[in-house]
Amino acid sequence: MVAMLEPELCEKGATIETVLDTPEGKRILTCIQCGMCAGTCPYGEYMDYPPRRIINMLRRGFIEEVFKSDSMLRCVACYACMSKCPRGIRLSDVLLPIVKEQTLINQPEIPAELQKTLQNTLRYGNPMGESSRKRVNWATANGTKVPIMAEIKRPVDVLWFVECYTAYYQRGQDNSRAVAKLFNALGIDFAILGNEEKCAGDCGQLTWESGLFETLTDYNMEIFKKYKFNRIVTGDAHAFNAFRIRYPMYGFNYPVEHTTGLFARCLPQLKPKLTKKLNYTVTYHDACCLGRRAGLYDEPRDLLLAIPGIKLVEMTHNRVNSICCGGGGGGMWLDTFFKQKGMERLSERRVKEAIATGADVIAVSCPYEIYRFEDALKVIPHDKPIIVRDVVELLAEALGD
Amino acid sequence: MNATPKPTNGSWSPSLVAFFCNWCTYTAADLAGVSRMKYAPNIRTIRLMCSGRVDPQFILDAFSKGADGVLIGGCHPNDCHYAEGNYKCLRRFRLIKRMVADLGIEEQRLRLEWISAAEGEKVKTVVNEMVDQLKALGPLGIPKQFAEWDAEMTRLEHAAQTSQSAESEVAHA
Amino acid sequence: MYIPKKHEPVRIGFYICHCGVNIASMVDVKEVAKYVGTLPNVVVSRDYKYMCSDPGQEMIQQDIIENRLNRVVVAACSPMLHEQTFRKATEKAGINPFFFQMVNIREHDAWVHTDRLEATRKAMALARAAIQRVPLHKPLEVKKVAVHPNVLIVGGGIAGIHAALVLANAGKRVYLVERDPTIGGHMAKFDKTFPTLDCAMCVLSPKMAAVGSHPNITLWTYSEVAKVDGYVGNYKVVVRRKPRYVLEDLCTGCQECVEACVYKEPKFRDEFNLGLGKRKPIRLPFPQAIPPVTLIDPETCIELKSGKCKKTCLEACGDRKAIDFKQQEELREILVGTIIVATGYQIFDAKRTPYYGYGVYPNVYNALEVERLINASGPTNGELVMRNGQVPKKVAVIHCVGSRDENTNRWCSRVCCLYSLKLAHLIHERTNAEIVNFYIDMRTPGKGMEEFYNRLSEEGMMLVRGKVADVYPDPTDGTTGRLIVQAEDTLMSRILKIPVDMVVLSVGLEPHPDSDKIRRLFNMSCSSEGWFLERHPKLAPVSTFTDGIFLAGCCQGPKDIPDSVAQAGAAAAECFSLIDKGHIEQEPNTAFVVEKECSGCKSCIPLCPYTAISLLEDKKKAYINEALCKGCGTCVASCPSGSIVQNLFEDAEVFSEIEGLLAPVPV
């Protein structure tokens, strides 16, 4: 198999002038211009400057031209170019963030939707612009009872970082309720931050709004310091990504796990509890931040196969070759921009593949995907009904009562 | 021979004595050379046929003559050109390591590494790492200590002699 | 000639080599020579552009005579390279060659440091160590050990075959050991060879037959080397011969048994055709196999699995009585003086690059499979028919699969560009299909290779410069299995999505998965990739670090057939030079016991891996058998009374070296 991308210590302050002096930057000089990055990029054909051309412009001294183009806005931070690069150049870690930052600075205007989202995240701590006081509402509604750090006033084993989509949006809350149910079933000692939590900032970081990201990092790190816990678990693949890769640059050193990884580890205890038979044919969509980024390919599949009755089928593009849902790197808020540019929505491309498998369920493990795929299914014709479920939702369903 | 830490542009720089086996580590160092890898110039290597030849006295002698660190390089377990010399070296190394610690010499000053003929890169990293550690530890300075002890002995002897002669004078008086 | 007298004062000559600019650019050689000239016992101290050149050596010799030198120290490259050169030079001038000491200031100094002052200091320290050591040197004599004239060759591919024939034709006895049931290796699977496009089997099979019938070659196929003991000139080797359940001496190769097998149709995966064809439990691997002896696969043979077969094969064999279901594994011990390791390579497993769909989409093939598909003796009798029964109309050839990639293998396998062009040509010739070659860089080094590329380009195949990123089924296609090959055409900066019927993956070459085991067996070294390491990349390309063991072919690194054959010839020549000389000279670095200091404590005895040490019962003293001692020095380091001495590495010599290294230098 293709090597997993280990989180790598990169200079957080590298600029276009200094990047080539870092060890990781030096690798950029080894680029053989094979075009693997451009060929594998889901939006490669819409970019004037896919990574290969960026590198050549940089090496020849024409990088300013790249900054002036809006080409880089098309990057959905899916790590495909980086994980297939034969020279092991850490494109998504080192080069592309710098290019994105400079691109944003050089654009006459930033697409409105993205602009609004970044502002919301800064003001309200979530991209939707919801009130931060409503963040915990899901956890207290409908008879659910979820322990909150500020209320229980004792150390816990697991600090569950819920994140925005899973706290505010209806379908995201389904995910959160499922996680809570599974935590309880496994007897895990956990609590959430409730209204004190703010967005982890992964997408701010991936669009390289570095100032916004650092504000959120500072905030969340302060909150973490208030409480005692052993590890952080999150059901949001992007928060997981931020905690694994970027937060350590700011001194964060808690053990971090994604719910998928945690539940897969607990499978021996969990499996006997999965009693309810679910007669679904399921296809699993690899989330970029879990699969290519963290090598969690088998864990979600193991979980699905542990559910009685489930039949797993694979899409054409799976595992390292999976296609992004299009939501990463700010893509979540660039659909209008993409449409203006005549670009196909990646979620639609992905959903077509899922439909072709004949599956009843698209299983996902990142909260963005629920929206993106449910949205895409509304416009892509399909004969057989197909639904989108998070892996944890299916697990919770199989728990029975 | 009294070696004093030599000044490098006015500042001290550690000296690292290495004993490399002919077949693996010495060859790896040759490979590092052929590959033009760059590492700290503080290392001075002595070629032996096998790490099994490393006599604990060599190590102590090197420290006593001014080495700030000693590195031993041998073949990986199972790869010894002489079947098991590296194991013998390891056994001896464990003993000498304790002894060296008892002498108050910091643990990082003595190191054993298995480096195969193909691992030029490892020669580079190990040497650089060790030189960095030695720099952090500062000079060991055993020859200087010896010189001080010698001076003290001479002083004491002198003092003893003078007091003796004084006594005898007193006795004679 | 001047012959130094005993007990004469030590007179050292010191020489420092510029090595062109290799050393002189980083080490101030004049300063070093000046410094060494001030050291005790040093009579002359010089620097010279190339010490290893004839004038350099003559300078030493002249100094020995004119200045009555009795010790020589040369600071130059690694002793691995020129220690022998200078020892010989000093010996020619009449002093014992072991009065010479070499200082490595190139590989260990000039090439690895960046600070000229520090590098110069280091050179001074290293030189001083040698100057302090060399007065203690003793005159020694090289040990001579007889070389057994027989040769073992491991691996019966083209390299092993060629080496075996070269040696056997000159009258040497050769044991050729091959793991598979037949010799021929990968070359036997190829259809045609680049750049001449001559048929691989046509040139190989006469050589295979010659090996099979040569009176000087003992051919053991389906056999593996189990154990190697001893040392150069005298290797004791145990070979494990696996049972083929058909007796080689009695089988005539008629294959009537295969006809008669209770399985009427071939049913099992045919290894020789990489699973593209089927075989029976009893079979001949391929028609030209050498030895032409069938074998039975115990995994699929009913008789061997259950003992309940009608044994129609036995019946067909009749009076020849060649089939023996009771045959057992056999261990054979042989004595040889030299060994050639020619164990070859394996192809990269394309499943490790999952985005090319190998093993998922039936119309994706690796290059070796295509060789079999277009080979007249292959599973389709040379017709390029895919697994779905169709003849492709458009074919993509993807270069560099698994090669030049940090995620898989980092090296360029050297042959893939050329064989890809060859396959493109052959596929086009057989099927008239349109061919698209996707390459990163077109690498065609070697005689006639660029011309070959040139000629084939004229045929009009499409050459796209870009590494293929993705292969997936054409969504608009129903059932034909058409695939889309997606890549950036980097010369046009455009993403191409080309529909094709067949994809050929030009997989690279990689070391055998058990190369580590083989390496240990023969006490060789491996590069970090797993290729066997040659003694010197330029000057000893077929030697290993173990004397008497040589390399040939792809086990040392990817190469084409001409280079493999050339290397096999070179390895054979290395064997000749040992065999014909009749003896080898060994470093006199053995250990001996100073009897009067030995306390007879016996602690050294169990330490020796060669059982060279014993206790003289009458004297109660340890004794080292010089013939068995290999000179590691482990016993020396552990002797509590310090009564064991190792020649060339005496305690006093090492102590003086340490002292010299740590002495202050003037700059």
Side-chain angles (χ1 to χ4, degrees):
Chain A
M1 273 309 287
V2 171
M4 194 189 92
L5 296 169
E6 288 295 334
E8 196 124 340
L9 282 178
C10 303
E11 295 286 326
K12 64 180 177 195
T15 65
I16 200 72
E17 286 81 23
T18 61
V19 67
L20 290 182
D21 297 328
T22 63
E24 282 310 314
K26 283 205 165 69
R27 278 208 201 168
I28 294 172
L29 298 174
T30 69
C31 170
I32 49 175
Q33 295 284 299
C34 68
M36 176 57 112
C37 46
T40 199
C41 176
Y43 278 149
E45 56 207 301
Y46 302 103
M47 282 190 189
D48 290 333
Y49 298 106
R52 177 185 74 81
R53 276 168 259 170
I54 295 176
I55 290 178
N56 226 25
M57 294 297 266
L58 174 63
R59 294 196 295 201
R60 301 282 183 276
F62 299 118
I63 192 70
E64 293 296 329
E65 283 178 41
V66 177
F67 297 155
K68 293 199 178 78
S69 147
D70 64 3
S71 166
M72 204 57 220
L73 282 176
R74 291 156 181 77
C75 170
V76 288
C78 73
Y79 306 105
C81 52
M82 179 160 81
S83 58
K84 285 190 192 171
C85 173
R87 281 300 199 234
I89 300 172
R90 307 200 72 86
L91 295 160
S92 324
D93 278 345
V94 180
L95 182 63
L96 303 186
I98 298 175
V99 178
K100 279 187 178 177
E101 184 176 36
Q102 289 301 319
T103 302
L104 278 184
I105 292 170
N106 278 278
Q107 290 316 295
E109 59 178 339
I110 301 175
E113 212 180 334
L114 178 65
Q115 177 81 355
K116 180 90 185 131
T117 302
L118 294 175
Q119 278 167 1
N120 281 343
T121 313
L122 186 61
R123 263 182 87 176
Y124 304 102
N126 65 74
M128 317 68 176
E130 296 277 349
S131 158
S132 61
R133 272 171 300 176
K134 292 186 189 158
R135 200 174 180 100
V136 80
N137 286 6
W138 73 271
T140 47
N142 302 335
T144 341
K145 187 76 191 112
V146 177
I148 298 167
M149 283 311 285
E151 289 172 8
I152 60 171
K153 296 192 173 65
R154 64 169 176 86
V156 292
D157 179 24
V158 168
L159 176 73
W160 173 20
F161 196 88
V162 182
E163 261 297 17
C164 312
Y165 277 79
T166 28
Y168 288 108
Y169 276 9
Q170 181 56 38
R171 287 287 287 113
Q173 292 172 1
D174 293 343
N175 177 327
S176 295
R177 278 187 282 272
V179 173
K181 192 172 166 190
L182 287 160
F183 277 163
N184 287 326
L186 284 166
I188 289 173
D189 173 32
F190 74 99
I192 61 171
L193 290 169
N195 288 338
E196 284 182 290
E197 183 184 284
K198 274 188 185 177
C199 180
D202 192 53
C203 285
Q205 171 252 315
L206 288 173
T207 46
W208 210 249
E209 187 45 87
S210 54
L212 167 62
F213 178 69
E214 284 181 13
T215 311
L216 293 168
T217 314
D218 290 347
Y219 173 83
N220 282 318
M221 295 279 285
E222 279 309 308
I223 299 293
F224 293 151
K225 277 185 208 148
K226 275 174 68 179
Y227 301 108
K228 280 207 165 67
F229 52 89
N230 297 327
R231 54 206 167 121
I232 295 184
V233 173
T234 176
D236 185 306
H238 283 278
F240 174 63
N241 201 37
F243 293 147
R244 264 183 84 232
I245 314 289
R246 287 280 158 178
Y247 274 54
M249 295 178 195
Y250 301 87
F252 173 96
N253 60 358
Y254 302 100
V256 178
E257 232 174 341
H258 187 262
T259 42
T260 316
L262 172 74
F263 294 141
R265 245 181 347 92
C266 298
L267 206 50
Q269 299 99 283
L270 187 59
K271 196 165 178 181
K273 300 186 201 302
L274 301 173
T275 50
K276 194 169 154 199
K277 201 167 175 193
L278 305 180
N279 287 319
Y280 299 138
T281 301
V282 179
T283 186
Y284 175 71
H285 163 80
D286 284 281
C288 307
C289 298
L290 294 187
R292 271 189 292 267
R293 197 60 172 104
L296 295 169
Y297 295 118
D298 290 324
E299 288 78 355
R301 288 178 171 83
D302 290 347
L303 286 172
L304 289 169
L305 289 170
I307 299 172
I310 278 195
K311 187 175 156 234
L312 192 62
V313 290
E314 291 291 351
M315 285 182 263
T316 300
H317 290 90
N318 57 63
R319 294 176 178 254
V320 70
N321 215 23
S322 173
I323 296 174
C324 179
C325 71
M332 195 75 182
W333 310 287
L334 285 165
D335 279 334
T336 319
F337 172 77
F338 291 160
K339 198 168 180 182
Q340 279 167 3
K341 301 286 172 185
M343 290 154 68
E344 176 196 20
R345 276 205 299 181
L346 291 181
S347 49
E348 290 175 24
R349 200 190 290 179
R350 196 63 179 144
V351 156
K352 281 182 200 161
E353 279 197 4
I355 292 167
T357 63
D360 314 305
V361 179
I362 308 175
V364 299
S365 49
C366 165
Y368 287 10
E369 287 153 1
I370 299 261
Y371 299 94
R372 299 198 65 79
F373 292 155
E374 286 186 350
D375 239 25
L377 282 169
K378 288 175 195 153
V379 293
I380 301 297
H382 49 288
D383 303 331
K384 196 178 144 189
I386 184 163
I387 54 170
V388 188
R389 286 285 179 277
D390 197 289
V391 173
V392 292
E393 288 181 69
L394 291 170
L395 284 173
E397 189 181 344
L399 272 182
D401 301 305
Chain B
M1 174 113 2
N2 277 341
T4 41
K6 48 197 182 195
T8 310
N9 308 328
S11 69
W12 166 86
S13 173
S15 54
L16 171 60
V17 171
F19 297 96
F20 284 173
C21 86
N22 182 59
W23 304 99
C24 288
T25 314
Y26 194 88
T27 312
D30 273 3
L31 176 67
V34 174
S35 319
R36 307 295 199 280
M37 290 165 182
K38 302 297 176 202
Y39 55 82
N42 308 59
I43 178 172
R44 311 275 186 264
T45 306
I46 291 176
R47 179 168 72 125
L48 297 170
M49 293 313 283
C50 179
S51 55
R53 177 69 184 92
V54 178
D55 191 319
Q57 294 182 78
F58 295 168
I59 299 165
L60 296 177
D61 193 60
F63 281 130
S64 76
K65 289 194 176 119
D68 298 296
V70 173
L71 171 65
I72 302 162
C75 308
H76 282 272
N78 270 330
D79 283 352
C80 178
H81 189 81
Y82 301 102
E84 48 199 40
N86 52 356
Y87 291 118
K88 307 288 155 57
C89 174
L90 177 63
R91 263 163 40 181
R92 227 171 273 147
F93 179 78
R94 295 226 166 112
L95 288 173
I96 187 78
K97 187 115 188 162
R98 277 160 58 181
M99 188 175 155
V100 162
D102 288 346
L103 290 172
I105 295 173
E106 294 90 341
E107 195 187 18
Q108 294 109 300
R109 294 194 189 267
L110 178 58
R111 181 158 168 182
L112 172 65
E113 280 292 340
W114 307 138
I115 304 178
S116 84
E119 294 176 318
E121 182 76 29
K122 191 168 176 188
V123 171
K124 178 184 119 179
T125 32
V126 166
V127 171
N128 282 342
E129 221 175 82
M130 202 164 167
V131 168
D132 282 347
Q133 283 169 348
L134 293 177
K135 278 183 183 158
L137 287 172
L140 179 60
I142 290 189
K144 201 171 142 228
Q145 217 161 48
F146 281 171
E148 278 166 16
W149 287 340
D150 282 348
E152 196 173 339
M153 282 304 289
T154 329
R155 239 189 356 262
L156 286 173
E157 266 169 38
H158 183 72
Q161 262 168 19
T162 29
S163 68
Q164 217 169 34
S165 53
E167 270 169 36
S168 62
E169 267 168 37
V170 172
H172 282 270
Chain C
M1 190 197 271
Y2 163 73
I3 296 167
K5 295 178 204 76
K6 272 188 182 173
H7 311 301
E8 204 181 31
V10 170
R11 297 175 65 82
I12 306 174
F14 175 76
Y15 304 87
I16 183 164
C17 180
H18 296 214
C19 195
V21 292
N22 279 307
I23 293 171
S25 65
M26 190 45 67
V27 172
D28 189 338
V29 288
K30 299 253 183 241
E31 259 324 293
V32 177
K34 207 170 97 193
Y35 162 67
V36 173
T38 66
L39 297 177
N41 300 325
V42 177
V43 180
V44 288
S45 180
R46 303 184 196 277
D47 63 284
Y48 188 66
K49 202 140 185 103
Y50 289 106
M51 280 314 298
C52 60
S53 66
D54 277 349
Q57 295 184 43
E58 278 158 20
M59 182 163 84
I60 299 176
Q61 288 162 344
Q62 209 177 344
D63 277 346
I64 291 175
I65 294 162
E66 286 175 5
N67 292 301
R68 293 181 294 114
L69 301 181
N70 51 21
R71 298 289 191 281
V72 174
V73 174
V74 173
C77 50
S78 168
M80 305 277 182
L81 226 56
H82 278 309
E83 192 174 49
Q84 294 302 336
T85 315
F86 293 117
R87 275 189 186 163
K88 283 197 185 107
T90 48
E91 190 175 21
K92 260 195 194 156
I95 61 173
N96 186 285
F98 299 97
F99 280 154
F100 164 78
Q101 178 72 15
M102 185 128 187
V103 184
N104 183 347
I105 56 164
R106 195 178 72 171
E107 282 83 349
H108 283 203
D109 189 1
W111 277 352
V112 288
H113 302 319
T114 47
D115 181 331
R116 193 171 149 90
L117 178 66
E118 282 300 324
T120 304
R121 288 157 163 261
K122 179 167 174 178
M124 286 175 172
L126 293 171
R128 177 159 193 155
I131 296 293
Q132 292 198 196
R133 168 194 229 275
V134 82
L136 303 169
H137 281 206
K138 308 248 163 38
L140 297 168
E141 267 181 51
V142 285
K143 237 182 6 171
K144 286 186 179 177
V145 181
V147 172
H148 196 287
N150 292 359
V151 184
L152 166 69
I153 298 176
V154 190
I158 182 59
I161 288 172
H162 184 75
L165 287 174
V166 170
L167 287 158
N169 286 341
K172 308 298 175 207
R173 167 136 295 277
V174 175
Y175 295 93
L176 179 57
V177 174
E178 165 60 47
R179 174 150 59 179
D180 281 343
T182 169
I183 56 169
H186 278 99
M187 188 176 171
K189 295 188 168 112
F190 298 161
D191 183 51
K192 289 183 176 168
T193 57
F194 61 80
T196 45
L197 292 180
D198 46 357
C199 147
M201 213 30 157
C202 309
V203 289
L204 180 63
S205 62
K207 295 189 80 138
M208 287 169 64
V211 167
S213 60
H214 207 295
N216 288 339
I217 298 178
T218 306
L219 174 59
W220 284 340
T221 53
Y222 215 41
S223 305
E224 281 175 30
V225 174
K227 200 171 163 216
V228 182
D229 272 331
Y231 49 93
V232 54
N234 298 279
Y235 286 109
K236 213 195 284 172
V237 181
V238 179
V239 177
R240 183 186 298 119
R241 304 210 62 202
K242 291 176 276 186
R244 57 199 296 157
Y245 306 105
V246 176
L247 302 175
E248 273 183 51
D249 306 342
L250 301 178
C251 176
T252 60
C254 68
Q255 299 184 61
E256 280 172 37
C257 51
V258 181
E259 273 302 304
C261 178
V262 292
Y263 284 103
K264 289 289 160 245
E265 290 302 321
K267 220 190 125 180
F268 304 102
R269 186 178 189 276
D270 178 1
E271 295 87 353
F272 186 78
N273 283 319
L274 304 134
L276 294 168
K278 302 273 185 234
R279 61 155 173 83
K280 295 181 179 182
I282 188 162
R283 85 283 187 186
L284 193 66
F286 59 96
Q288 305 93 326
I290 297 289
V293 174
T294 55
L295 78 157
I296 304 175
D297 170 19
E299 301 292 312
T300 51
C301 169
I302 298 174
E303 176 63 19
L304 285 169
K305 266 165 60 187
S306 64
K308 287 179 192 150
C309 183
K310 282 190 281 179
K311 291 181 270 193
T312 43
C313 53
L314 208 66
E315 229 168 85
C317 192
D319 288 344
R320 284 164 286 203
K321 294 198 169 91
I323 296 177
D324 174 10
F325 288 111
K326 301 225 155 42
Q327 197 183 20
Q328 295 291 316
E329 180 181 288
E330 238 183 293
L331 292 177
R332 303 286 280 271
E333 195 179 289
I334 52 172
L335 198 65
V336 296
T338 47
I339 298 173
I340 297 175
V341 178
T343 48
Y345 64 94
Q346 69 171 14
I347 56 167
F348 172 78
D349 176 8
K351 285 187 182 139
R352 287 172 61 200
T353 47
Y355 36 89
Y356 292 150
Y358 181 78
V360 180
Y361 309 124
N363 295 350
V364 179
Y365 292 84
N366 71 37
L368 198 56
E369 289 168 339
V370 178
E371 295 276 1
R372 293 314 297 155
L373 281 181
I374 56 176
N375 193 302
S377 68
T380 55
N381 298 319
E383 271 185 69
L384 184 57
V385 181
M386 298 188 297
R387 289 188 179 95
N388 61 6
Q390 290 178 345
V391 177
K393 292 188 198 66
K394 192 159 183 176
V395 179
V397 182
I398 304 180
H399 292 220
C400 296
V401 175
S403 303
R404 304 183 69 195
D405 194 332
E406 296 282 332
N407 301 306
T408 50
N409 294 331
R410 296 171 73 176
W411 57 90
C412 164
S413 292
R414 239 191 78 179
V415 292
C416 320
C417 279
L418 287 154
Y419 83 56
S420 301
L421 290 169
K422 172 196 79 179
L423 288 175
H425 165 83
L426 293 173
I427 295 169
H428 178 70
E429 188 184 72
R430 305 284 158 89
T431 61
N432 212 21
E434 201 185 326
I435 318 280
V436 195
N437 265 283
F438 292 92
Y439 67 98
I440 308 176
D441 295 300
M442 190 63 82
R443 295 183 168 178
T444 61
K447 193 171 162 189
M449 303 300 185
E450 182 68 12
E451 293 86 334
F452 175 69
Y453 170 34
N454 200 346
R455 200 165 73 238
L456 263 51
S457 312
E458 280 180 6
E459 291 177 3
M461 65 178 78
M462 200 154 116
L463 290 158
V464 177
R465 193 202 173 278
K467 188 172 167 76
V468 171
D470 199 3
V471 173
Y472 52 94
D474 185 347
T476 65
D477 167 71
T479 49
T480 62
R482 191 161 60 213
L483 298 162
I484 303 278
V485 176
Q486 185 172 320
E488 186 196 16
D489 183 330
T490 58
L491 301 180
M492 209 166 54
S493 292
R494 186 172 296 179
I495 309 295
L496 302 181
K497 296 178 182 177
I498 299 180
V500 296
D501 303 308
M502 181 185 193
V503 171
V504 180
L505 303 180
S506 296
V507 287
L509 279 49
E510 63 182 21
H512 276 295
D514 58 354
S515 65
D516 205 52
K517 213 179 92 199
I518 302 171
R519 173 179 77 81
R520 294 222 159 113
L521 206 54
F522 295 100
N523 202 352
M524 301 185 289
S525 297
C526 270
S527 65
S528 50
E529 298 89 12
W531 304 111
F532 298 142
L533 205 61
E534 64 281 356
R535 191 165 197 143
H536 190 275
K538 292 181 186 66
L539 303 177
V542 298
S543 306
T544 65
F545 286 98
T546 307
D547 289 331
I549 297 185
F550 304 101
L551 300 170
C554 289
C555 63
Q556 182 258 345
K559 54 181 66 66
D560 59 8
I561 295 167
D563 283 7
S564 293
V565 171
Q567 232 187 14
E574 295 281 356
C575 294
F576 277 131
S577 85
L578 286 176
I579 299 168
D580 286 4
K581 193 175 180 191
H583 66 265
I584 49 124
E585 289 170 358
Q586 280 192 331
E587 277 282 290
N589 56 14
T590 48
F592 61 91
V593 178
V594 180
E595 263 188 25
K596 69 175 196 315
E597 280 162 24
C598 174
S599 67
C601 74
K602 297 188 276 194
S603 55
C604 54
I605 293 174
L607 291 179
C608 180
Y610 308 104
T611 58
I613 315 179
S614 54
L615 189 75
L616 298 173
E617 288 299 336
D618 47 342
K619 296 186 192 161
K620 298 278 178 245
K621 304 277 181 190
Y623 165 75
I624 296 176
N625 180 344
E626 203 194 341
L628 294 176
C629 174
K630 300 255 181 79
C632 64
T634 299
C635 58
V636 189
S638 65
C639 176
S641 60
S643 61
I644 308 182
V645 178
Q646 184 185 12
N647 285 322
L648 285 174
F649 295 93
E650 293 184 20
D651 281 352
E653 291 170 349
V654 178
F655 284 132
S656 62
E657 232 179 310
I658 297 172
E659 189 176 299
L661 284 183
L662 293 167
V665 290
V667 292

